[in-house]
PDB file of all heavy atoms in Angstrom:
ATOM      1  N   ARG A1369     -14.539  -5.923   1.612  1.00 88.00           N
ATOM      2  CA  ARG A1369     -13.497  -5.145   0.957  1.00 88.00           C
ATOM      3  C   ARG A1369     -12.129  -5.559   1.337  1.00 88.00           C
ATOM      4  O   ARG A1369     -11.799  -5.559   2.608  1.00 88.00           O
ATOM      5  CB  ARG A1369     -13.771  -3.664   1.282  1.00 88.00           C
ATOM      6  CG  ARG A1369     -15.139  -3.176   0.837  1.00 88.00           C
ATOM      7  CD  ARG A1369     -15.489  -1.910   1.479  1.00 88.00           C
ATOM      8  NE  ARG A1369     -15.722  -2.117   2.891  1.00 88.00           N
ATOM      9  CZ  ARG A1369     -16.059  -1.197   3.744  1.00 88.00           C
ATOM     10  NH1 ARG A1369     -16.196   0.057   3.324  1.00 88.00           N
ATOM     11  NH2 ARG A1369     -16.212  -1.440   5.069  1.00 88.00           N
ATOM     12  N   ASN A1370     -11.300  -5.900   0.462  1.00 89.00           N
ATOM     13  CA  ASN A1370      -9.979  -6.434   0.765  1.00 89.00           C
ATOM     14  C   ASN A1370      -8.910  -5.264   0.561  1.00 89.00           C
ATOM     15  O   ASN A1370      -8.998  -4.518  -0.415  1.00 89.00           O
ATOM     16  CB  ASN A1370      -9.592  -7.585  -0.172  1.00 89.00           C
ATOM     17  CG  ASN A1370     -10.514  -8.732  -0.069  1.00 89.00           C
ATOM     18  OD1 ASN A1370     -11.188  -8.875   0.981  1.00 89.00           O
ATOM     19  ND2 ASN A1370     -10.549  -9.536  -1.061  1.00 89.00           N
ATOM     20  N   VAL A1371      -7.995  -5.171   1.520  1.00 91.00           N
ATOM     21  CA  VAL A1371      -6.962  -4.136   1.457  1.00 91.00           C
ATOM     22  C   VAL A1371      -5.652  -4.825   1.486  1.00 91.00           C
ATOM     23  O   VAL A1371      -5.326  -5.591   2.411  1.00 91.00           O
ATOM     24  CB  VAL A1371      -7.126  -3.153   2.619  1.00 91.00           C
ATOM     25  CG1 VAL A1371      -5.981  -2.136   2.558  1.00 91.00           C
ATOM     26  CG2 VAL A1371      -8.459  -2.457   2.626  1.00 91.00           C
ATOM     27  N   LEU A1372      -4.745  -4.570   0.462  1.00 88.00           N
ATOM     28  CA  LEU A1372      -3.505  -5.136   0.360  1.00 88.00           C
ATOM     29  C   LEU A1372      -2.556  -4.181   1.072  1.00 88.00           C
ATOM     30  O   LEU A1372      -2.483  -2.902   0.743  1.00 88.00           O
ATOM     31  CB  LEU A1372      -3.057  -5.332  -1.111  1.00 88.00           C
ATOM     32  CG  LEU A1372      -1.646  -5.794  -1.364  1.00 88.00           C
ATOM     33  CD1 LEU A1372      -1.432  -7.220  -0.830  1.00 88.00           C
ATOM     34  CD2 LEU A1372      -1.362  -5.724  -2.857  1.00 88.00           C
ATOM     35  N   LEU A1373      -1.767  -4.647   2.073  1.00 90.00           N
ATOM     36  CA  LEU A1373      -0.806  -3.855   2.793  1.00 90.00           C
ATOM     37  C   LEU A1373       0.596  -4.472   2.407  1.00 90.00           C
ATOM     38  O   LEU A1373       0.855  -5.664   2.730  1.00 90.00           O
ATOM     39  CB  LEU A1373      -1.011  -3.885   4.220  1.00 90.00           C
ATOM     40  CG  LEU A1373      -2.252  -3.231   4.734  1.00 90.00           C
ATOM     41  CD1 LEU A1373      -3.328  -4.237   5.040  1.00 90.00           C
ATOM     42  CD2 LEU A1373      -2.086  -2.325   5.952  1.00 90.00           C
ATOM     43  N   ILE A1374       1.516  -3.685   1.875  1.00 87.00           N
ATOM     44  CA  ILE A1374       2.833  -4.128   1.528  1.00 87.00           C
ATOM     45  C   ILE A1374       3.843  -3.386   2.265  1.00 87.00           C
ATOM     46  O   ILE A1374       3.848  -2.092   2.260  1.00 87.00           O
ATOM     47  CB  ILE A1374       3.147  -3.935  -0.050  1.00 87.00           C
ATOM     48  CG1 ILE A1374       2.108  -4.631  -0.863  1.00 87.00           C
ATOM     49  CG2 ILE A1374       4.567  -4.468  -0.361  1.00 87.00           C
ATOM     50  CD1 ILE A1374       2.264  -4.352  -2.317  1.00 87.00           C
ATOM     51  N   GLY A1375       4.697  -4.070   3.098  1.00 87.00           N
ATOM     52  CA  GLY A1375       5.743  -3.410   3.791  1.00 87.00           C
ATOM     53  C   GLY A1375       6.181  -4.157   4.994  1.00 87.00           C
ATOM     54  O   GLY A1375       5.802  -5.287   5.220  1.00 87.00           O
ATOM     55  N   ASP A1376       6.858  -3.441   5.915  1.00 86.00           N
ATOM     56  CA  ASP A1376       7.271  -4.028   7.178  1.00 86.00           C
ATOM     57  C   ASP A1376       6.118  -4.459   7.978  1.00 86.00           C
ATOM     58  O   ASP A1376       5.270  -3.638   8.318  1.00 86.00           O
ATOM     59  CB  ASP A1376       8.115  -2.982   7.942  1.00 86.00           C
ATOM     60  CG  ASP A1376       8.597  -3.491   9.239  1.00 86.00           C
ATOM     61  OD1 ASP A1376       9.413  -4.487   9.267  1.00 86.00           O
ATOM     62  OD2 ASP A1376       8.141  -2.934  10.309  1.00 86.00           O
ATOM     63  N   VAL A1377       6.096  -5.774   8.315  1.00 88.00           N
ATOM     64  CA  VAL A1377       4.946  -6.324   9.013  1.00 88.00           C
ATOM     65  C   VAL A1377       4.691  -5.689  10.316  1.00 88.00           C
ATOM     66  O   VAL A1377       3.565  -5.266  10.696  1.00 88.00           O
ATOM     67  CB  VAL A1377       5.076  -7.829   9.196  1.00 88.00           C
ATOM     68  CG1 VAL A1377       3.991  -8.416  10.079  1.00 88.00           C
ATOM     69  CG2 VAL A1377       5.035  -8.568   7.789  1.00 88.00           C
ATOM     70  N   GLU A1378       5.721  -5.343  11.084  1.00 90.00           N
ATOM     71  CA  GLU A1378       5.624  -4.687  12.377  1.00 90.00           C
ATOM     72  C   GLU A1378       5.018  -3.248  12.175  1.00 90.00           C
ATOM     73  O   GLU A1378       4.224  -2.866  12.969  1.00 90.00           O
ATOM     74  CB  GLU A1378       6.973  -4.581  13.021  1.00 90.00           C
ATOM     75  CG  GLU A1378       6.889  -4.057  14.477  1.00 90.00           C
ATOM     76  CD  GLU A1378       8.299  -4.131  15.120  1.00 90.00           C
ATOM     77  OE1 GLU A1378       8.981  -5.126  15.050  1.00 90.00           O
ATOM     78  OE2 GLU A1378       8.629  -3.127  15.833  1.00 90.00           O
ATOM     79  N   THR A1379       5.436  -2.547  11.187  1.00 86.00           N
ATOM     80  CA  THR A1379       4.943  -1.198  10.911  1.00 86.00           C
ATOM     81  C   THR A1379       3.494  -1.240  10.528  1.00 86.00           C
ATOM     82  O   THR A1379       2.707  -0.370  10.984  1.00 86.00           O
ATOM     83  CB  THR A1379       5.737  -0.546   9.804  1.00 86.00           C
ATOM     84  OG1 THR A1379       7.136  -0.456  10.263  1.00 86.00           O
ATOM     85  CG2 THR A1379       5.237   0.851   9.517  1.00 86.00           C
ATOM     86  N   LEU A1380       3.111  -2.182   9.688  1.00 89.00           N
ATOM     87  CA  LEU A1380       1.763  -2.148   9.154  1.00 89.00           C
ATOM     88  C   LEU A1380       0.736  -2.919   9.947  1.00 89.00           C
ATOM     89  O   LEU A1380      -0.467  -2.865   9.630  1.00 89.00           O
ATOM     90  CB  LEU A1380       1.789  -2.651   7.626  1.00 89.00           C
ATOM     91  CG  LEU A1380       2.542  -1.746   6.686  1.00 89.00           C
ATOM     92  CD1 LEU A1380       2.560  -2.395   5.336  1.00 89.00           C
ATOM     93  CD2 LEU A1380       1.921  -0.380   6.649  1.00 89.00           C
ATOM     94  N   THR A1381       1.157  -3.752  10.890  1.00 94.00           N
ATOM     95  CA  THR A1381       0.188  -4.584  11.697  1.00 94.00           C
ATOM     96  C   THR A1381      -0.863  -3.695  12.373  1.00 94.00           C
ATOM     97  O   THR A1381      -2.097  -4.048  12.310  1.00 94.00           O
ATOM     98  CB  THR A1381       0.961  -5.456  12.679  1.00 94.00           C
ATOM     99  OG1 THR A1381       1.624  -6.418  11.957  1.00 94.00           O
ATOM    100  CG2 THR A1381      -0.043  -6.138  13.633  1.00 94.00           C
TER     101      THR A1381
END
Side-chain angles (χ1 to χ4, degrees):
R1369 299 166 292 178
N1370 299 337
V1371 179
L1372 175 65
L1373 297 103
I1374 303 174
D1376 178 65
V1377 173
E1378 186 176 317
T1379 300
L1380 293 179
T1381 293

